[in-house]
Amino acid sequence: MIDDSEDATRKMQFLFALRSRGVTDQRVLSAMEKIDRGLFVRGLFAERAYEDMPLPIACGQTISQPSVVGLMTQALEVTPRDKVLEVGTGSGYQAAILSQLARRVYTVDRHRRLVREARDIFDALDLVNITAFTADGSFGLPDQAPFDRILVTAAAEDPPGPLLAQLKIGGIMVLPVGQSDAVQSLIRVRRLEQGFDYDELRPVRFVPLVEGLARDE
Ligand code: SAH
């Protein structure tokens, strides 16, 4: 059992680590203060939920490092009017952070189990502006497109064409690109009136974007 002062210290350290790694946007920091990462990490690693490290979740996947979640969210420049697509629900943590900043969040994962478990947390937290689907996110979500913002949390070798096509003009997509067994680059893509503008942000490491739905459940 953790008492209140221990809880407050832990929260302060969590926010301090985010700031010292470059997460400076106050709206992002407030969202990350409000959404308890501890709810999204189960089992053995639960007690490490407030450390700035990626951790294993079900289905052999990982919940991203908090500072990477913060930096990606910041780079996405979400506004309260935005409709956002996240590819790679995983634990649901990133979607929960986005739900604090956007009007509406759609999140998809190829693992049915991850989607089911994330939905349960969204319901428990009353995050009613998130809709989670089991789908291959490399095709985006044609029924809900176009999107103001798209965040991909699994690495592809190149930005998937359908995602570029489902981004509004003026919209922003943030995604890791590169081989799955190497260091990848986090990039930001802006859709212009004509064409796209690419901007390289930092090296990152993500699990690969895999084609098709998972068959393991
Ligand atoms: N954003 C997550 C971390 C994601 S880990 C979080 O906050 O916890 C990457 C996720 O991408 C994994 O859950 C994996 O199943 C999913 N993924 C990989 N390829 C995919 C695809 N083609 N479509 C949808 N999800 C995919």
Side-chain angles (χ1 to χ4, degrees):
M1 182 76 195
I2 292 163
D3 70 27
D4 284 353
S5 71
E6 226 177 293
D7 202 35
T9 309
R10 210 177 45 181
K11 199 169 243 181
M12 247 170 53
Q13 283 168 344
F14 183 72
L15 291 170
F16 181 80
L18 291 174
R19 281 204 189 86
S20 69
R21 290 182 164 90
V23 184
T24 51
D25 183 320
Q26 197 47 55
R27 290 182 64 229
V28 175
L29 287 166
S30 303
M32 295 185 77
E33 181 173 4
K34 185 156 168 222
I35 301 291
D36 181 359
R37 188 171 184 251
L39 299 174
F40 297 84
V41 184
R42 287 159 209 244
L44 272 182
F45 292 94
E47 64 192 44
R48 312 197 71 168
Y50 306 99
E51 294 176 30
D52 192 28
M53 52 166 61
L55 293 171
I57 56 172
C59 305
Q61 305 302 314
T62 49
I63 177 172
S64 313
Q65 188 174 345
S67 57
V68 171
V69 170
L71 291 168
M72 287 176 86
T73 309
Q74 191 166 283
L76 202 60
E77 298 174 14
V78 182
T79 81
R81 291 181 307 277
D82 288 344
K83 181 166 75 170
V84 182
L85 171 65
E86 181 200 22
V87 175
T89 310
S91 67
Y93 179 62
Q94 172 74 74
I97 302 295
L98 291 169
S99 78
Q100 303 299 296
L101 304 168
R103 176 170 58 84
R104 186 114 204 86
V105 178
Y106 292 92
T107 181
V108 300
D109 204 288
R110 58 189 292 279
H111 285 278
R112 202 173 301 282
R113 171 174 169 195
L114 293 175
V115 171
R116 200 171 53 229
E117 291 181 357
R119 272 189 195 138
D120 288 345
I121 307 178
F122 303 150
D123 286 348
L125 295 178
D126 212 19
L127 303 177
V128 294
N129 64 339
I130 309 179
T131 310
F133 294 110
T134 305
D136 180 349
S138 37
F139 297 104
L141 210 49
D143 289 350
Q144 307 299 336
F147 298 96
D148 300 287
R149 300 289 185 264
I150 300 178
L151 184 61
V152 187
T153 62
E157 292 197 13
D158 295 299
L163 295 182
L164 290 170
Q166 289 172 30
L167 193 58
K168 282 188 194 168
I169 291 174
I172 299 176
M173 169 155 71
V174 171
L175 76 166
V177 290
Q179 308 273 350
S180 61
D181 53 354
V183 173
Q184 305 133 5
S185 263
L186 187 65
I187 63 168
R188 175 167 48 195
V189 184
R190 285 176 201 271
R191 181 160 197 177
L192 310 174
E193 289 277 350
Q194 275 172 2
F196 297 88
D197 190 33
Y198 293 84
D199 162 24
E200 201 170 327
L201 304 177
R202 67 195 309 267
V204 282
R205 246 196 139 111
F206 276 84
V207 297
L209 191 74
V210 178
E211 268 180 32
L213 296 187
R215 291 159 145 277
D216 54 358
E217 52 217 312

